[in-house]
Amino acid sequence: MAGEGEEVYVAAIDQGTTSTRFIVYDRHAKPVASHQLEFTQHYPEAGWVEHDPMEIIETVKVCMKEAVEKAKDGNLNVVSGLKAIGITNQRETTVMWSKSTGLPLYNAIVWMDARTSPVCRRLESELSGGRTHFVETCGLPISTYFSALKLLWLMENVHAVKDAVRTGDALFGTIDTWLIWNLTGGIHGGQHVTDCSNASRTMLMNLKTLDWDKPTLEALGVPGKILPKIISNSEKIGVVAKEFPLAGVPISGCLGDQHAAMLGQLCQKGEAKSTYGTGAFILLNTGEEPTQSSHGLLSTIAYKLGPSAPTNYALEGSIAIAGAAVQWLRDSLGIIQTAAEIEKLAETVPDSGGVYFVPAFNGLFAPWWRDDARGICIGITRFTNKGHIARAVLESMCFQVNDVLNSMHKDAGEAGEVKSAEGEFLLRVDGGATVNNLLMQIQADLLGSPVVRPADIETTALGAAYAAGLAAGVWTKGQVFAGLHKENTTVFRPKLDEAHRKKRGDSWYKAVSRSFDLADLSL
């Protein structure tokens, strides 16, 4: 443990879908300096979403430099006191690059990209188990969402990728792998690794062995030599190379964003959290055994805090469009000027006036798994105004979270959930959209149980900092799980009666069913 007198800091790189952040925390896990940058979203065709991996690396560099400058302005000597850096990242987003040049062979294909639908259909028809062929080993159905499908698309459609795979010059990775490889030296000896939480989202890792699954690689034709080594979430990985700010500082923690948020929320067995970002992601820690879902959820890793630490597993429900629907109201429709305005607009009406909005822009994820669904807004009358639509957009996030939690309750059963002293199931929430009090109240109302928001809603970065700080000996597991910062939670309690809740839920299901089988409308 670090001495009480010296300045001790731990930092986190939080590389998300639309922005990159670097946050510095003090020894009490309080944020003391940060910098954030948005980067370009590329939409080359309908349903395609790409990022430039070089731009992502550049944003990381700039955020590190600017956060350190801000700390200096506040008289904090972060450079000498920084003990470790943790990384957390958008998951499933797939990068292929050249081992010899260090340059990407194609843009990164983003997790929500739907171009791999034909690959999915083909595999479902060819493989004996159809859509669920790999569920037994990796916990995931065949879906456009996961990295393996994006990798297959790249190997089949991009000449540079085909050639590099053939000559042994290709490296595959999710964003964590790309960042670590670059940060630890790139072509001059960069570490080609991924952590078990990110690996569990590729469809290629065996959930029990935490290693690449050979039969899966063979079935898909993926060469093992292009894959990174799988490590735990909390161990020394390498040190920052000299061409980056903070050179020489150890990188000692890495988790996919949802797993990091789970650690940041201190979710232990039977506890669940929901992160509201571009999408929404609900995870329930199921303890040291993977739980198979029969209700459309994914079995995944929660976290593994050290090479010899036990693995905690989770059930996860992923929702593709949450905050992205608010961005759509702002950027595509111009109904609001800033994301924050949606709360005021939605509060101009007491309810959604019978309007239901299903944001299936690129299909629906859990628990439906319908890539033929498309966005719909129904129940519109002459009475409908933009306040109703704004409110229906907020409600769509909460209804989707409900669908996932209902599935979790069915899969995990009574034994799988921890209740509060009052016998209530508590949903811990985090992410940018949770600043919206109306959204949180709607969530509690539609869920019928309390929603708990922490003081620091950026628990994704915090989880990565915890993992790095644990490996560097800044904190012990006992200190982290005792809650380095348990102050100031806000609790939203349900105010809606059971009859209304049920009626609203039934109407939502009716709306969702109307969104199916609409993919060919655009043809």
Side-chain angles (χ1 to χ4, degrees), residues 10-11 30 94 101 111 125-126 178 194 210 243 259 265 284 306 346 366 378 394 403 408 421 430 451 454 472 479:
V10 176
K30 294 258 191 314
T94 300
T101 68
W111 56 271
S125 65
E126 286 174 357
W178 168 247
T194 187
L210 304 194
E243 57 269 28
H259 315 267
Q265 288 272 31
L284 172 72
I378 62 172
L394 292 183
D403 291 343
M408 277 180 181
D430 58 80
V451 165
Q479 286 173 321

Side-chain angles (χ1 to χ4, degrees), residues 182-373:
N182 279 283
L183 283 161
T184 57
I187 55 173
H188 305 296
Q191 298 289 316
H192 189 220
V193 299
T194 187
D195 75 90
C196 54
S197 68
N198 275 296
S200 76
R201 314 299 298 182
T202 58
M203 229 175 73
L204 301 173
M205 188 189 85
N206 184 307
L207 271 185
K208 294 205 170 73
T209 64
L210 304 194
D211 212 341
W212 302 119
D213 188 66
K214 289 211 167 55
T216 303
L217 300 186
E218 279 162 24
L220 296 174
V222 172
K225 62 179 187 296
I226 68 173
L227 302 175
K229 178 183 167 205
I230 301 174
I231 58 171
S232 78
N233 299 119
S234 182
E235 59 182 90
K236 185 174 171 186
I237 301 165
V239 298
V240 176
K242 60 180 184 299
E243 57 269 28
F244 284 88
L246 302 169
V249 176
I251 296 170
S252 57
C254 183
L255 310 96
D257 51 12
Q258 303 316 319
H259 315 267
M262 209 172 194
L263 180 57
Q265 288 272 31
L266 308 175
C267 285
Q268 300 189 71
K269 186 179 176 181
E271 297 178 332
K273 69 90 201 168
S274 178
T275 299
Y276 301 75
T278 306
F281 302 87
I282 305 93
L283 279 84
L284 172 72
N285 187 328
T286 57
E288 293 178 28
E289 279 298 314
T291 301
Q292 290 290 350
S293 171
S294 50
H295 296 92
L297 302 179
L298 311 175
S299 305
T300 196
I301 301 285
Y303 45 72
K304 179 180 171 68
L305 300 177
S308 56
T311 305
N312 267 238
Y313 292 92
L315 279 171
E316 172 173 339
S318 315
I319 293 160
I321 303 292
V326 178
Q327 290 171 330
W328 174 74
L329 280 187
R330 180 193 69 192
D331 301 339
S332 299
L333 298 193
I335 285 179
I336 48 176
Q337 300 306 296
T338 66
E341 277 175 37
I342 192 169
E343 186 172 8
K344 272 200 192 71
L345 181 56
E347 279 176 333
T348 59
V349 291
D351 53 49
S352 66
V355 173
Y356 287 79
F357 175 74
V358 182
F361 295 164
N362 281 18
L364 289 170
F365 287 172
W368 311 102
W369 298 105
R370 296 287 299 240
D371 56 16
D372 63 346

